[in-house]
Every structure is written in C-alpha cells, then in structure tokens.
C-alpha cells in the first residue's frame, strides 16, 4: 500500500509532463496555476472523507497524561536506539531526494547536450524514466512484503549506484532510453518503502511526525541536489557529478545496514 502512495506521485509528475505542453500555449502560465488548484481541492475533499486509522483512535482514547506531555518531536530521539534510527532515516530521505531532484532537473539538459535532443524528444526520454520509476516503486512494495524491507532497500541502493554511472556512459539514444528506465527504477523505486519503514520504526504517538519531519528534512537537503550537480558538472564534468551521486548511494547503503533495523512482520506500536 505504501508503494501505491508513491505511484500517485509519479502519476502526478507524468500527467503534468504530458498535459503542460498541450495546455500552456492555450491558457498561459497563469492558467496553469489555476489548473494546479484542482489537486489541492481534491486533497481537501479526500481528507474530509477519510477517517482516522483505528489504531490511532484507540491510542488517542487511552493515552496517558505522561505521553501527552511528551512532544512527538522528542519521541524521535527519546533514547540512543531511537536517535540512531532517526539519523539513519534522515540520511535515507536526504539521499532519496538529492538523487531524484539532482537527476530529474538536469536530465533534459543532459539529453540535449549529449544527443542534441530538443524539448519534445527530451520529454519523451524523461517520461520513460518516470515510467521506470513507477515500475520500480510498484516492484519495491511487492518485494518488501515478501523478502523484507532492508534487503530490498540495499538492493535498490546498490542498483542506483551502478545505474547512474552506467547511464552517464551511454552514447546511443536507444540505449539511453532503456538505461533511463532502469536507472529510474532503482533511483526512485525506494520511494515505495519509506512510508512502511517509518510506520514500523516509530510508535503511533510519533508516527506522523516522523514521516513528515524526517522526509521533509530530507527534501530540504535534497533541494540542493540540482545546485550541487549543476555546479560540479559546470566546474568539472558530468562524470564528476555522477560520481558524487554514486557515492551518496554507497552512503545510503551503509546507513541502511548499520542504523536501520528490520521490522517486517512486527506489530505496530
């Protein structure tokens, strides 16, 4: 189920990539901002229609005053073991966002420089990469429920480290099309597991806080991805920027192996 949430993100990105070239000439950028209100309204209506999880309702009714006085943020670092987990999740979320934005923001420019693609061709190649990401997210969920969370995270992180290097070496457009899909599968496929992983690592009293704070701190770090990748590619080379991406996925693997426990099959707290 966590992977289907991630698929929603990719569906939105893909829809925006396909719809914008058709609507933008007709309604302009202001009109596109109005179109952007549609998902916001939909989110508001969906939120009103969906109830609270039974586990949360049960815990909220029986919560003791001592628990209520402990801010959820403090629960993320309540002891050494939990602080270690939070550090690990912060690294995982930072690498996830850094890699995603670092690659996706620069991919059209890279394709234009490497293969002489115009905007329409670059959009097609980028869309194929997004489809690869969507397949990777779906597959991640299927594998994680069968094998376990950590083994699949480690496999995807290793695949991402290898594929960003392989992709940077491709010289044929067709190979880049296929390679982009495979790279996307590993680079963003891990998105299918963060919701489940953090749900299992934190108690009900801090679960939503953990997911929002840690992932969005990671998004803040990841926001520097396009800046860092662009600066390295400009000052040195695209290969140097890719080497950095490969290195952070190795860091990702170390954080997963050393800081994140496996909780598959363990009842939620």
């Amino acid at each position: 189920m966590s992977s289907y949430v991630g698929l929603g993100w990719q569906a939105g990105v893909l829809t925006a990539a396909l719809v914008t070239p058709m609507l933008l000439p007709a309604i302009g950028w202001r009109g596109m901002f109005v179109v952007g209100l549609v998902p916001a309204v939909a989110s508001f209506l969906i939120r009103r229609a969906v109830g609270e999880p039974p586990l949360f309702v049960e815990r909220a009714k029986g919560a003791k005053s001592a628990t209520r006085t402990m801010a959820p943020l403090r629960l993320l670092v309540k002891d050494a073991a939990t602080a270690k987990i939070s550090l690990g999740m912060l690294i995982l979320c930072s690498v996830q966002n850094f890699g995603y934005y670092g690659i996706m923001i620069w991919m059209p420019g890279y394709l234009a420089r490497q293969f002489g693609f115009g905007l329409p061709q670059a959009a097609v190649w980028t869309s194929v990469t997004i489809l690869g990401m969507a397949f990777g997210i779906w597959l991640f969920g299927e594998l994680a429920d069968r094998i376990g969370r950590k083994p699949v995270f480690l496999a995807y992180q290793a695949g991402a480290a290898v594929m960003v290097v392989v992709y940077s070496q491709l010289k044929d457009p067709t190979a880049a099309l296929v390679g982009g899909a495979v790279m996307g599968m590993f680079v963003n496929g891990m998105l299918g597991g963060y919701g489940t992983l953090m749900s299992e690592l934190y108690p009900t009293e801090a679960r939503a806080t953990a997911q929002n704070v840690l992932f969005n701190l990671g998004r803040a770090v990841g926001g520097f991805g396009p800046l860092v990748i662009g600066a390295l590619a400009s000052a040195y080379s695209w290969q140097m920027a890719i080497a950095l991406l490969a290195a952070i996925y190795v860091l990702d693997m170390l954080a997963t192996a050393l800081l994140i426990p496996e909780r598959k099959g363990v009842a939620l707290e």
Side-chain angles (χ1 to χ4, degrees), residues 10-239:
Q10 299 309 303
V13 173
L14 186 60
T15 301
L18 296 175
V19 169
T20 299
M22 293 185 290
L23 292 181
L24 186 60
I27 62 178
W29 68 267
R30 290 183 176 84
M32 294 305 301
F33 269 67
V34 174
V35 173
L37 292 174
V38 175
V41 174
S43 298
F44 176 78
L45 296 175
I46 292 169
R47 185 191 66 82
R48 291 177 60 88
V50 177
E52 295 286 358
L55 181 61
F56 176 84
V57 175
E58 178 186 340
R59 292 296 175 88
K61 288 180 179 178
K64 297 179 180 179
S65 58
T67 303
R68 287 174 179 168
T69 58
M70 192 173 191
L73 276 174
R74 291 177 58 194
L75 291 174
L76 305 187
V77 291
K78 65 179 181 179
D79 52 42
T82 307
K84 185 175 79 168
I85 290 171
S86 295
L87 173 62
M89 287 309 312
L90 179 59
I91 294 172
L92 264 65
C93 293
S94 297
V95 171
Q96 171 67 35
N97 284 284
F98 191 99
Y100 175 81
Y101 291 112
I103 290 171
M104 293 307 295
I105 294 296
W106 286 107
M107 180 172 282
Y110 170 74
L111 292 170
R113 185 172 59 254
Q114 184 78 353
F115 304 112
F117 285 177
L119 185 58
Q121 289 172 296
V124 171
W125 262 247
T126 303
S127 296
V128 171
T129 301
I130 295 172
L131 289 174
M133 291 177 174
F135 175 76
I137 291 170
W138 171 82
L139 183 63
F140 189 103
E142 295 293 326
L143 294 175
D145 277 344
R146 289 167 170 77
I147 301 172
R149 289 47 162 137
K150 283 185 66 172
V152 183
F153 264 105
L154 288 168
Y156 269 63
Q157 289 157 356
V162 171
M163 281 308 303
V164 292
V165 175
V166 169
Y167 186 78
S168 69
Q169 305 301 314
L170 298 177
K171 305 300 182 184
D172 178 72
T174 303
L177 188 69
V178 177
V182 178
M183 179 183 67
M185 184 185 86
F186 288 112
V187 165
N188 210 40
M190 292 174 281
L191 187 67
Y194 290 102
T196 294
L197 190 61
M198 284 191 276
S199 291
E200 294 171 338
L201 292 175
Y202 297 95
T204 298
E205 291 79 7
R207 184 167 296 124
T209 299
Q211 297 209 23
N212 285 279
V213 170
L214 293 175
F215 191 81
N216 284 291
L217 283 175
R219 192 192 296 271
V221 174
F224 290 98
L227 176 64
V228 173
I229 296 301
L232 283 176
S234 177
Y236 299 98
S237 65
W238 176 255
Q239 284 68 31

